Amino acid sequence: MTQEHIRTINEILSSTDELDSFDEYLARFAKPVGDLVNSYLPQGSHPDLDKYLYGPLLRFSRNGGKRHRPLICFAACQAVGGDVSRAVSSAAAVEHFQSAALIHDDIADDGELRRGRPCLHIEEGVGLAINAGDLALMLVNGTVARDPVLEDEVKVRIITELTDMTKRTVEGQAMDLGWARDGRYDITPEDYLVMATLKTAHYSGAVPLAIGAIVGGGTEAQIEGLRNYGLDTGLAFQIQDDLLNLVGEQESIKKDFRTDITEGKRTLCVVHALQHSLQADRLEEILSSHPKDPAILAEAVRIMEESGSIEYARTYAENLTSIAKNRLVGMIDPSPARDLLVSMADWFVNRLH
């Protein structure tokens, strides 16, 4: 770890109580924490390894979004009174998993764009992209296993958490892909919630918070309280992403706007509309045709709006975050780090409007 990375950690430690919101936390630390995460990516012993493997993965990871997963891992560590420097490898591991999941997910979905850039399999070819995703997946446990700061028993517990997280995400992906392959439109909102919890909520919320609390020395009650908070807010995060892809104002100017319809995604809005809309047959027809015409995409969204499905999903996410905040306040002692985590739920909801 370089001196610059140590300064990043120290800045997080010293400035948490100065931040007014989770949004400010992300804006301030996404870039330096991204650099910290990427410092764990290896370099090749041959120039062609950098050309065909390490370089592509590094470019993908540098286009890494808001870095909320490592940052909530740090916040959880602080919320239980822990030392953030002990959470760095765990935070990096979750972000490496995110890279692997997205690379493989884009291939499975025939995706074209990821965060405004061509997907890795478009840039490098499917074979090399799969290989880069495999490398990112290998780094998940390896990053923690080689951490000189953590005790062996802590490493085993963190790696067990990461292994279980990987299994659950793969389970959720299997449901999502299987529904699409088999042309399933009998999916209920309850089915969706199971799938999204497995595929997203564990790795986007529950596990980053739980492992942050574990390395921070939290009690079992604190660890499980933060895990449950992450499950609820992680599920809201996925519902939020689904909504933004359909009706987000900023997303509407992006090339990947409404691609969930093109890909036939069984989102909460879709499965609710298929059960409640008088135009369910037309919506199923649109989803099955994988359209790209903006007029057809808009028609699908209109069907979901008229059936109340957009509002249903929005309200569901809002209720999840409201209940989760109340539980967290009852489980974790007051601190600036806890306030950041409460603000995280507010940030999720605010971005829904």
Side-chain angles (χ1 to χ4, degrees), residues 248-286:
E249 292 183 7
Q250 293 183 2
E251 283 72 15
S252 66
I253 62 174
K254 298 178 181 178
K255 292 182 179 179
D256 54 353
F257 186 51
R258 295 179 173 168
T259 51
D260 282 356
I261 300 171
T262 304
E263 296 171 5
K265 292 281 189 180
R266 276 65 167 171
T267 64
L268 187 58
C269 298
V270 164
V271 299
H272 182 272
L274 288 172
Q275 284 194 328
H276 295 89
S277 175
L278 296 176
Q279 296 179 281
D281 289 345
R282 174 56 180 159
L283 179 58
E284 182 177 327
E285 179 185 347
I286 292 172

Side-chain angles (χ1 to χ4, degrees), residues 63-281:
N63 188 33
K66 293 181 171 60
R67 307 292 186 186
H68 94 263
R69 293 167 187 83
L71 283 166
I72 64 174
C73 182
F74 292 153
C77 182
Q78 286 186 282
V80 300
D83 177 358
V84 169
S85 65
R86 287 175 54 83
V88 175
S89 66
S90 299
V94 175
E95 198 71 355
H96 293 326
F97 179 81
Q98 159 82 340
S99 292
L102 294 182
I103 291 168
H104 289 158
D105 193 46
D106 286 341
I107 295 168
D109 290 339
D110 293 323
E112 297 180 359
L113 291 172
R114 171 63 63 183
R115 300 185 182 122
R117 286 192 56 170
C119 294
L120 192 64
H121 68 277
I122 301 294
E123 290 187 331
E124 300 291 336
V126 172
L128 288 175
I130 291 173
N131 208 41
D134 290 346
L135 171 65
L137 195 58
M138 178 276 295
L139 291 170
V140 174
N141 290 341
T143 298
V144 174
R146 289 187 291 271
D147 190 338
V149 174
L150 299 179
E151 302 80 11
D152 288 346
E153 61 270 21
V154 174
K155 291 180 183 179
V156 170
R157 184 166 184 184
I158 297 300
I159 289 172
T160 301
E161 290 278 348
L162 295 169
T163 302
D164 290 344
M165 173 193 77
T166 301
K167 178 178 74 73
R168 292 187 180 106
T169 306
V170 171
E171 289 173 343
Q173 177 75 329
M175 295 175 71
D176 198 17
L177 293 173
W179 293 341
R181 187 199 68 179
D182 293 345
R184 294 275 302 279
Y185 291 102
D186 59 339
I187 309 305
T188 67
E190 291 74 22
D191 293 326
Y192 167 87
L193 295 172
V194 170
M195 181 277 292
T197 298
L198 289 169
K199 181 175 177 178
T200 301
H202 284 281
Y203 94 87
S204 289
V207 173
L209 292 175
I211 61 179
I214 291 169
V215 297
T219 65
E220 293 303 314
Q222 289 174 325
I223 293 166
E224 293 312 307
L226 284 161
R227 186 195 307 280
N228 290 330
Y229 182 69
L231 282 174
D232 288 339
T233 55
L235 180 55
F237 178 82
Q238 181 59 57
I239 296 171
Q240 166 213 32
D241 266 10
D242 295 343
L243 284 166
L244 291 174
N245 187 265
L246 297 176
V247 297
E249 292 183 7
Q250 293 183 2
E251 283 72 15
S252 66
I253 62 174
K254 298 178 181 178
K255 292 182 179 179
D256 54 353
F257 186 51
R258 295 179 173 168
T259 51
D260 282 356
I261 300 171
T262 304
E263 296 171 5
K265 292 281 189 180
R266 276 65 167 171
T267 64
L268 187 58
C269 298
V270 164
V271 299
H272 182 272
L274 288 172
Q275 284 194 328
H276 295 89
S277 175
L278 296 176
Q279 296 179 281
D281 289 345

